[in-house]
Amino acid sequence: MKRFLTLALILTLFLVSSFSFSTSPSYAYSQSDLEKLLETNICIKCDLSHANLERADLKYAYLNGANLSGANLKYADLSGANLKYANLEDTNLEDTNLEGADLEGANLKDADLLGANLEDANLERADLKGAYIRSANIEDAHTLDANLTNTQL
């Protein structure tokens, strides 16, 4: 009987821990993707979600289709970067330089772009729903078919 109760307790603990690990959200970026980006300035369709890239020099980086959701890119330089179809949802882009960046089709839902430089950036078909763009430079930005619903300008 004792052995049965011990096995039952172990099984219960295993099931509870498995359930809690599988239901908790994953906030980890891929360390290998981060290293690849910092070494080569190229990271296509990579996972950089929740990465801390504050003040990173990513001029002309190639991040087509990358997942940068929840990342911290405050004060980063992404001028001329290719961010086509990148996921930047809920990303901190405060005071980030995105001059001339290609953000076509990018997901910028709820992104913080306070004071960001978007001069001459391509935002065609980008989703900026709920984004915070106050004090941002949007001079000559291309916004054809961009979703600006509930955007705070």
Side-chain angles (χ1 to χ4, degrees):
M1 183 67 162
K2 218 182 216 185
R3 186 173 178 190
F4 174 75
L5 289 175
T6 303
L7 286 173
L9 179 61
I10 291 171
L11 180 61
T12 303
L13 289 172
F14 174 75
L15 290 173
V16 168
S17 65
S18 296
F19 177 74
S20 65
F21 287 131
S22 67
T23 58
S24 45
S26 174
Y27 294 115
Y29 54 88
S30 166
Q31 185 64 35
S32 62
D33 283 346
L34 179 60
E35 289 169 5
K36 180 168 73 171
L37 172 64
L38 296 176
E39 288 172 15
T40 66
N41 226 23
I42 299 171
C43 204
I44 302 165
K45 294 184 179 178
C46 59
D47 181 8
L48 297 167
S49 56
H50 300 277
N52 184 5
L53 293 162
E54 186 171 339
R55 299 184 188 279
D57 183 1
L58 299 170
K59 283 183 272 207
Y60 303 104
Y62 197 81
L63 291 157
N64 192 329
N67 180 7
L68 290 151
S69 61
N72 179 16
L73 287 156
K74 188 174 183 176
Y75 305 117
D77 187 353
L78 285 157
S79 56
N82 181 334
L83 290 154
K84 278 185 175 182
Y85 305 100
N87 182 3
L88 294 152
E89 184 170 354
D90 201 32
T91 298
N92 183 357
L93 294 159
E94 188 178 333
D95 293 311
T96 298
N97 185 5
L98 290 156
E99 183 176 357
D102 191 350
L103 292 147
E104 179 181 340
N107 176 5
L108 289 150
K109 288 180 189 169
D110 299 315
D112 182 357
L113 290 147
L114 175 71
N117 181 10
L118 291 157
E119 184 176 349
D120 201 34
N122 181 11
L123 293 163
E124 291 181 14
R125 292 179 291 286
D127 190 351
L128 291 128
K129 184 176 181 179
Y132 190 80
I133 309 179
R134 290 214 172 122
S135 302
N137 177 5
I138 55 173
E139 185 177 334
D140 295 325
H142 311 281
T143 57
L144 181 68
D145 295 326
N147 181 2
L148 299 170
T149 306
N150 296 325
T151 300
Q152 299 177 51
L153 297 170

